[in-house]
Amino acid sequence: MRIRSLAPFLALTIVACSAETAEDAAETVVAEETQEYAADADAATLAAYVADWATHYNMGHGSMVADYFTDTGLMWSGSSGIAFGKENIAALLQGGIDMASPQLTLDMIDQIIVGDRAVAYGTFSTQATVDGEASGNSGYWMNYAELIDGEWKTRGLISNVDSEQATPAFQSAEFPEAMESAALAAESTEFFVTHINMGHAEMVAETYAEDIVSMPSGAAISTGRDALLARLTEMAAAGAQFTVTPWAAAELGEDYITSIGTYSVEIGGETVQGHYSNVSRRNADGEFELIWSLTAAHPNM
């Protein structure tokens, strides 16, 4: 889902608009192509960033991996907990490395780049040996990054686990007060909670894009509104009651919003808590619709 140049279609516009001179048209084409080349360069830099992240992790360089985050960055996984800031992130990473020397594989599936901000998602897997026995995890991740002095720096990396296999004990941390920017996601959150708790799964699904990508905790990725609607309908029929608390959100230009927060759902006499990361896109009607969603249920302590 790259933000691509409109240069291939520009010639048609030039022919139809007699008020634009040939010289102006040529300058416009050059400007569009320059923007596309810049976007391609940024995308390549982002891809290299992901590759370098895995390389240094596998070499046991927890502090070097932490340097890919901003000073106030957040790393939040579905298995090993939450950490704020480079020092805490380095400690969390190094702790896992020292315990089992896991080998990490990272793959990026898609990315959206708008100016100096980007979001991307993909898959990960780890393999390690603990007490002579093989262990590992796999799942999905979503990354929000900013281009700072020509280098991508992560402000938030959120991940989950896609199976019910054993995971390290979840290390909880005191969750800070929501940032003021969380208000960007407040309206859509309130709509979701109100209507899913009333059993209105179809109304909730209408706020999702047709091609929505869902990365649920403990399950495989799915694409398309119908797949997500089926899960929502099943939960609504079981009487699920949600509490959702946005923590932070950020705009990517005028057409995208990314947000993170916590959730709690009571269903079948049990309560599941977790965290989430969402990306919404403005549609043709000017309304924001959900296009990417990652949820991470916290393992029971």
Side-chain angles (χ1 to χ4, degrees):
M1 188 186 297
R2 286 288 319 288
I3 308 300
R4 303 296 298 179
S5 164
L6 299 180
F9 307 99
L10 194 56
L12 296 177
T13 305
I14 293 170
V15 171
C17 186
S18 59
E20 186 174 37
T21 66
E23 182 178 354
D24 291 338
E27 291 178 353
T28 302
V29 171
V30 170
E32 291 287 345
E33 290 180 345
T34 300
Q35 291 173 6
E36 182 171 356
Y37 295 149
D40 287 341
D42 289 342
T45 304
L46 187 61
Y49 161 88
V50 172
D52 289 346
W53 206 105
T55 296
H56 286 294
Y57 183 90
N58 290 338
M59 293 175 69
H61 302 161
S63 62
M64 291 185 68
V65 174
D67 283 340
Y68 287 110
F69 288 77
T70 63
D71 290 339
T72 57
L74 162 71
M75 188 179 75
W76 204 355
S77 80
S79 59
S80 58
I82 183 172
F84 297 95
K86 284 185 179 181
E87 291 186 5
N88 293 329
I89 291 171
L92 184 63
L93 288 169
Q94 199 63 51
I97 291 171
D98 293 342
M99 179 177 65
S101 299
Q103 293 297 291
L104 172 68
T105 299
L106 282 179
D107 288 305
M108 183 164 62
I109 297 176
D110 205 354
Q111 59 186 324
I112 300 169
I113 300 176
V114 181
D116 61 357
R117 298 186 176 189
V119 287
Y121 75 89
T123 62
F124 78 89
S125 63
T126 60
Q127 295 295 325
T129 300
V130 180
D131 296 330
E133 296 185 5
S135 67
N137 272 324
S138 61
Y140 306 96
W141 56 266
M142 195 180 299
N143 184 29
Y144 167 53
E146 292 185 0
L147 197 58
I148 300 174
D149 296 330
E151 296 183 355
W152 288 108
K153 297 288 186 179
T154 292
R155 291 190 63 86
L157 176 64
I158 316 297
S159 64
N160 67 6
V161 178
D162 64 4
S163 69
E164 299 299 332
Q165 62 187 306
T167 63
F170 190 86
Q171 303 298 314
S172 62
E174 182 178 352
F175 204 66
E177 184 177 349
M179 298 176 68
E180 183 177 350
S181 59
L184 289 169
E187 184 176 349
S188 60
T189 299
E190 182 178 357
F191 183 92
F192 171 86
V193 171
T194 297
H195 289 287
I196 196 64
N197 287 350
M198 294 175 67
H200 302 162
E202 290 190 3
M203 289 184 65
V204 172
E206 287 176 1
T207 65
Y208 300 159
E210 288 283 357
D211 58 349
I212 182 171
V213 176
S214 175
M215 294 163 274
S217 187
I221 192 171
S222 68
T223 302
R225 184 187 295 167
D226 289 345
L228 190 52
L229 174 59
R231 287 202 299 273
L232 291 175
T233 300
E234 182 179 356
M235 296 182 75
Q241 294 294 294
F242 277 84
T243 300
V244 181
T245 305
W247 178 67
E251 295 175 295
L252 283 76
E254 297 180 352
D255 295 325
Y256 294 90
I257 293 175
T258 180
S259 60
I260 61 174
T262 59
Y263 71 88
S264 175
V265 55
E266 296 182 14
I267 184 170
E270 297 184 357
T271 300
V272 176
Q273 295 180 329
H275 59 271
Y276 68 88
S277 180
N278 290 335
V279 176
S280 298
R281 174 185 63 203
R282 192 184 302 276
N283 62 21
D285 296 326
E287 302 292 331
F288 280 99
E289 56 186 14
L290 193 63
I291 60 170
W292 298 351
S293 177
L294 180 152
T295 58
H298 298 167
N300 293 327
M301 298 298 289

